[in-house]
């Protein structure tokens, strides 16, 4: 939890309490339904919570922004971002229903009211959003096909509407077809070794 306060020192008392509660909630649930790998659960704040909040170093979502989290798994990056941006709406989608059960229980326990979950493939979601976030569920060309037509027309944020994708490694080939893509190095914001190769990939998308 000290890690979160190190990089986000201006949290409210409620946000601090919500972030603090995540560790025990996820440990308890993980013993029943495995949503975080065994080796990662002891480093939840580094590998999951702070990693998710890397997106918040790239963009400060305007109030009333809508964000779709695709393949959210145990709720990352959606849950930490929803705590940080309580005036935005987050829609967390996953094709594995038992993971959403964990997310719903965590959100209920910390009284996080700006999250909704849907058990579905993202292609079946018929709504539009200001931003679509995810953590490395597939290569970007495949991901853009999945989310085609899901970007809202109206712009509310400093960054144009589009995809904010958490990914690591050498992405040169994967991203070469996108002239407007921008990679933000998380090592520019976080000093821990875990973030050396991690990035936030931003791809603006047009409403279609």
């Amino acid at each position: 939890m000290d890690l979160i306060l190190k990089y986000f020192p201006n949290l409210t008392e409620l946000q601090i309490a919500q972030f603090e509660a995540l560790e025990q909630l996820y440990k308890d649930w993980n013993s029943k339904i495995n949503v975080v790998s065994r080796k990662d659960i002891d480093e939840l704040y580094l590998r999951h919570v702070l990693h998710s909040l890397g997106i918040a170093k790239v963009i400060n979502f305007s109030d009333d922004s809508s964000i779709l989290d695709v393949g959210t798994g145990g709720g990352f990056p959606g849950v930490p971002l929803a705590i940080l941006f309580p005036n935005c709406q987050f829609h967390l989608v996953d094709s594995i229903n038992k993971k959403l059960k964990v997310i719903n229980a965590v959100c209920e326990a910390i009284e996080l009211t700006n999250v909704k979950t849907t058990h579905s493939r993202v292609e079946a979601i018929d709504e539009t959003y200001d931003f679509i976030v995810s953590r490395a569920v597939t290569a970007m060309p495949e991901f853009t096909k999945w989310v085609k037509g899901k970007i809202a027309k109206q712009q509310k944020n400093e960054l144009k509407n589009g995809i904010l994708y958490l990914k690591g490694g050498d992405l040169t080939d994967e991203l070469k077809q996108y002239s407007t893509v921008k990679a933000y190095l998380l090592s520019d914001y976080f000093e821990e070794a875990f973030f050396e190769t991690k990035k936030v990939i931003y791809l603006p998308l047009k409403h279609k």
Side-chain angles (χ1 to χ4, degrees):
M1 184 59 207
D2 291 342
L3 260 183
I4 308 306
L5 290 170
K6 174 180 173 182
Y7 293 110
F8 295 90
N10 299 319
L11 299 175
T12 65
E13 286 185 17
L14 174 60
Q15 288 171 320
I16 291 170
Q18 288 172 324
F19 277 123
E20 281 181 337
L22 293 182
E23 182 172 35
Q24 196 56 51
L25 285 165
Y26 274 105
K27 281 186 173 177
D28 290 346
W29 274 103
N30 218 50
S31 65
K32 300 176 233 173
I33 299 173
N34 190 20
V35 292
V36 177
S37 74
R38 296 283 186 248
K39 71 178 192 301
D40 279 4
I41 194 71
D42 291 328
E43 295 192 80
L44 183 79
Y45 288 106
L46 174 70
R47 293 173 174 260
H48 294 281
V49 180
L50 190 58
H51 188 207
S52 298
L53 295 177
I55 288 173
K57 291 297 186 183
V58 171
I59 184 170
N60 184 19
F61 290 120
S62 299
D63 286 358
D64 298 323
S65 292
S66 58
I67 297 102
L68 173 68
D69 179 2
V70 175
T72 187
F76 303 100
V79 168
L81 289 172
I83 294 173
L84 195 64
F85 297 104
N87 297 318
C88 297
Q89 296 302 313
F90 290 82
H91 188 181
L92 279 52
V93 174
D94 205 281
S95 60
I96 301 174
N97 199 33
K98 65 181 182 181
K99 295 184 176 181
L100 299 177
K101 179 182 175 182
V102 175
I103 296 168
N104 290 335
V106 168
C107 290
E108 186 176 348
I110 63 173
E111 299 182 357
L112 193 62
T113 57
N114 58 332
V115 170
K116 75 171 181 175
T117 60
T118 302
H119 174 222
S120 173
R121 293 177 61 81
V122 67
E123 297 95 323
I125 300 294
D126 189 24
E127 297 176 52
T128 60
Y129 305 85
D130 301 306
F131 286 92
I132 297 169
V133 300
S134 190
R135 278 210 307 179
V137 290
T138 188
M140 186 65 89
E142 182 75 6
F143 190 74
T144 54
K145 286 181 196 169
W146 290 359
V147 301
K148 186 176 172 63
K150 297 184 188 351
I151 291 292
K153 189 171 187 178
Q154 185 184 358
Q155 305 282 338
K156 298 176 185 169
N157 291 271
E158 288 183 18
L159 290 182
K160 288 184 177 175
N161 294 354
I163 293 169
L164 291 160
Y165 207 46
L166 289 161
K167 207 155 188 201
D170 185 354
L171 305 175
T172 309
D173 284 348
E174 185 178 325
L175 299 175
K176 63 186 178 186
Q177 65 180 279
Y178 304 107
S179 59
T180 56
V181 76
K182 181 166 183 181
Y184 295 86
L185 306 178
L186 286 181
S187 58
D188 288 347
Y189 307 101
F190 305 139
E191 63 185 15
E192 287 70 24
F194 175 73
F195 296 105
E196 279 177 14
T197 64
K198 302 286 192 289
K199 304 175 183 75
V200 177
I201 307 301
Y202 166 57
L203 180 65
L205 288 181
K206 289 194 174 78
H207 164 77
K208 289 175 185 172

